[in-house]
Amino acid sequence: MKFFFKHLFIFCFTFSFAQLPKGFVYVEQLIPDIDIELRYLTSNNFVGVPVDGYKSNRLILSKEATMALKLVQEELQNKNLCLKVYDAYRPQQAVNHFMRWAKKLNDTINKALFYPNVHKKNLFKEEYIASRSGHSRGSTVDLTIVDGNTNEPLDMGSPYDFFGEPSWVNYQDLNMTQKKNRKLLQAVMLKHGFRNYAKEWWHFTLNNEPFPNTYFNFPIE
């Protein structure tokens, strides 16, 4: 009986955390209190359906990016704030799904929510979608900040994954609270070794990322 339970425990642990490629970790193992909402696991995204390669609400990043993110989380917690992550490692098969979707110009189910002022045919041209994503290299993350009292994301002036000028880092038509919140997010991420992307206030990539030329394709499970 002891033999059975021993092996049952090993099986359950293996099932819970699949073997990752060397250099990658499940972020929640090192930052257990991080808030995770992988949007591409759901239909609440610009495609309008769950995206290929997303099989579980588990956050995967390179170990280096995770350790840097841990420092961000610890600093924010001193202010009764917390990180909320919408995407991190993204398999290439998900990017391929985006590309197939982009070519179907009549498939615009979530246009009003995510790209109301951008023609779908221009999503590649305006660099909102690309055939390769830094996310697939394992050290890029999409995130925001959550209020520790309300558990609600801070107002950043535009929703996550909104394609348009309101999401640009230096967009100025914001109220003082929105500007303050964006400034806080940018400052704390850059302080701990990440660089931003000018068209997406939520998007950050680790400086000196460990896999700068490798695009991975293992599923999130």
Side-chain angles (χ1 to χ4, degrees), residues 21-43:
K22 185 177 180 180
F24 285 84
V25 297
Y26 286 102
V27 175
E28 59 264 41
Q29 289 185 308
L30 297 177
I31 316 176
D33 50 0
I34 197 165
D35 192 355
I36 304 169
E37 184 188 336
L38 296 185
R39 287 290 185 85
Y40 301 133
L41 180 66
T42 75
S43 297

Side-chain angles (χ1 to χ4, degrees), residues 23 25 65 82 193 213:
V25 297
C82 176
N213 301 308

Side-chain angles (χ1 to χ4, degrees), residues 8-63:
L8 178 62
F9 172 79
I10 293 173
F11 170 78
C12 290
F13 182 83
T14 303
F15 177 80
S16 297
F17 292 96
Q19 185 67 38
L20 297 175
K22 185 177 180 180
F24 285 84
V25 297
Y26 286 102
V27 175
E28 59 264 41
Q29 289 185 308
L30 297 177
I31 316 176
D33 50 0
I34 197 165
D35 192 355
I36 304 169
E37 184 188 336
L38 296 185
R39 287 290 185 85
Y40 301 133
L41 180 66
T42 75
S43 297
N44 184 20
N45 59 64
F46 64 88
V47 178
V49 297
V51 176
D52 292 355
Y54 287 81
K55 300 181 179 181
S56 177
N57 192 49
R58 287 190 171 137
L59 205 62
I60 298 172
L61 281 171
S62 69
K63 185 173 183 179

Side-chain angles (χ1 to χ4, degrees), residues 119-164:
H119 291 294
K120 188 176 181 180
K121 65 180 181 181
N122 293 330
L123 291 178
F124 281 104
K125 179 181 178 181
E126 298 188 23
E127 299 181 333
Y128 292 111
I129 298 178
S131 59
R132 290 286 181 91
S133 170
H135 284 276
S136 301
R137 302 195 299 263
S139 295
T140 294
V141 60
D142 293 344
L143 45 67
T144 192
I145 298 173
V146 171
D147 186 305
N149 293 321
T150 65
N151 292 321
E152 293 294 324
L154 301 187
D155 184 0
M156 294 291 177
S158 76
Y160 166 65
D161 249 3
F162 183 85
F163 299 160

Side-chain angles (χ1 to χ4, degrees), residues 180-208:
K180 179 182 177 181
N181 292 340
R182 283 198 189 187
K183 184 177 180 180
L184 173 62
L185 178 61
Q186 296 295 317
V188 70
M189 292 299 290
L190 272 60
K191 175 182 177 180
H192 292 291
F194 291 88
R195 63 183 183 273
N196 64 19
Y197 174 52
K199 288 190 174 183
E200 298 176 349
W201 58 257
W202 55 82
H203 179 111
F204 299 89
T205 298
L206 183 71
N207 294 322
N208 302 314

